[in-house]
């Protein structure tokens, strides 16, 4: 998995410029985005699928780890439920 600052250094550009053509679900009414961690499946220079991530400003790593752990647990449960139903 690529790091947040591989060949681009500390340069930051608008999210739409990086994820051109991709779409995400909107935030709920009244919510305001303040930080983001984005996991991106890319094709590398050789055309092979790879994973990369990008962040906005310096995130609180403990908070990010907690949020990611919850998402992993939710995904694991959903996959287990699909397996049981299949």
């Amino acid at each position: 998995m690529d790091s947040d600052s591989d060949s681009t250094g500390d340069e930051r550009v608008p999210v739409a410029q990086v994820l051109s053509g991709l779409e995400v679900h909107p935030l709920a009414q009244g919510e305001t985005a303040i930080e983001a961690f984005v996991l991106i499946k890319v094709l590398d220079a050789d055309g092979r699928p790879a994973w990369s991530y990008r962040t906005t400003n310096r995130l609180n790593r403990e908070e990010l780890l907690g949020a990611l752990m919850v998402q992993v647990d939710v995904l694991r449960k959903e996959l287990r439920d699909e397996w049981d139903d299949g």
Side-chain angles (χ1 to χ4, degrees):
M1 185 178 311
D2 289 340
S3 72
D4 187 40
S5 59
D6 39 55
S7 62
T8 60
D10 290 332
E11 177 189 6
R12 296 197 180 268
V13 297
V15 172
Q17 190 174 331
V18 176
L19 302 177
S20 177
L22 297 179
E23 298 177 344
V24 298
H25 296 286
L27 297 175
Q29 185 173 349
E31 292 181 334
T32 302
I34 57 173
E35 294 182 10
F37 172 91
V38 182
L39 184 60
I40 310 163
K41 188 171 186 180
V42 301
L43 293 176
D44 68 14
D46 296 322
R48 294 181 306 238
W51 288 97
S52 185
Y53 74 91
R54 295 294 181 266
T55 63
T56 53
N57 298 313
R58 186 77 170 147
L59 299 174
N60 176 309
R61 295 186 324 169
E62 292 83 10
E63 185 178 346
L64 176 59
L65 179 59
L68 289 172
M69 289 175 65
V70 168
Q71 289 303 311
V72 167
D73 288 345
V74 168
L75 180 58
R76 184 179 290 121
K77 181 188 180 316
E78 289 173 352
L79 288 170
R80 192 171 41 242
D81 289 349
E82 288 175 15
W83 180 266
D84 291 343
D85 292 341

